[in-house]
Amino acid sequence: MEDDGAVHEIHSLKRRAAKATRPVPIPPVLVRMLREHIRTFGVAPDGRLFRNAAGNYIDASAYGITWGRAREAALALDEHALELAKRPYDLRHAGISFWLASGVDPAECARRAGQSIQVLFRYYATFLAEARNHANRLIEESMQRWEAPMSDAEGDLESPAVGVT
């Protein structure tokens, strides 16, 4: 597609065919929030969820202004000073990190994020290493329980069965 100089160009998804789509699975609680937003505000004739008061595209500078106001309202002074969630795009990283921390399989995280597993491992290696350490602890605990002698309350596997004919 040629650059016609328009501020908002219609183009395909990054590195995808012009008519390609990508499913974006979201949890039911977020589906409910999205449906409520649509009930309240509707959608633009072209299907966009967010538009300005005149029904047009939102200017990029308006996102920045609104995001800055939201950060000031929602964050404590020290969080704001640390530049926590400095850009709306930072929420993507936070979301993927949350999925990983929740125990979602990394391959599924990559699929939902629309990126390769290699990209996921490159950017979330520290997070994934912690998940690996947690998995090792769980396996170690299970092995210790498996190797521990059974108590009388759990039954003795060595004794002959009673009442079996």
Side-chain angles (χ1 to χ4, degrees):
M1 172 168 286
E2 280 188 43
D3 183 356
D4 63 3
V7 174
H8 298 282
E9 295 181 36
I10 298 172
H11 56 82
S12 62
L13 293 168
K14 186 165 65 172
R15 293 188 217 90
R16 290 179 175 80
K19 300 284 183 180
T21 61
R22 181 170 61 92
V24 181
I26 59 175
V29 65
L30 297 179
V31 171
R32 287 190 294 277
M33 292 170 69
L34 184 59
R35 287 181 176 156
E36 180 60 30
H37 176 86
I38 292 169
R39 271 193 296 280
T40 303
F41 301 103
V43 296
D46 65 358
R48 282 178 294 112
L49 293 175
F50 306 107
R51 56 200 181 279
N52 65 17
N56 299 318
Y57 284 93
I58 299 172
D59 185 71
S61 64
Y63 282 112
I65 293 166
T66 302
W67 188 252
R69 289 177 184 161
R71 285 185 75 244
E72 286 180 19
L75 300 177
L77 287 175
D78 59 335
E79 293 170 327
H80 196 272
L82 290 172
E83 298 189 349
L84 182 67
K86 184 178 178 183
R87 309 162 299 160
Y89 191 78
D90 294 339
L91 295 180
R92 173 182 166 80
H93 184 79
I96 295 168
S97 296
F98 180 75
W99 298 341
L100 291 166
S102 298
V104 176
D105 179 70
E108 177 63 12
C109 290
R111 186 185 73 77
R112 286 178 177 232
Q115 60 193 31
S116 70
I117 192 81
Q118 291 84 1
V119 169
L120 185 88
F121 278 98
R122 183 179 319 128
Y123 290 101
Y124 299 91
T126 304
F127 217 94
L128 292 168
E130 181 53 38
R132 185 173 37 249
N133 293 338
H134 178 68
N136 286 341
R137 283 191 300 275
L138 292 174
I139 293 167
E140 180 76 23
E141 290 169 10
S142 291
M143 290 178 76
Q144 287 172 358
R145 283 193 305 273
W146 183 60
E147 292 174 350
M150 294 179 72
S151 68
D152 289 338
E154 294 171 318
D156 184 357
L157 296 178
E158 299 296 323
S159 64
V162 178
V164 176
T165 57

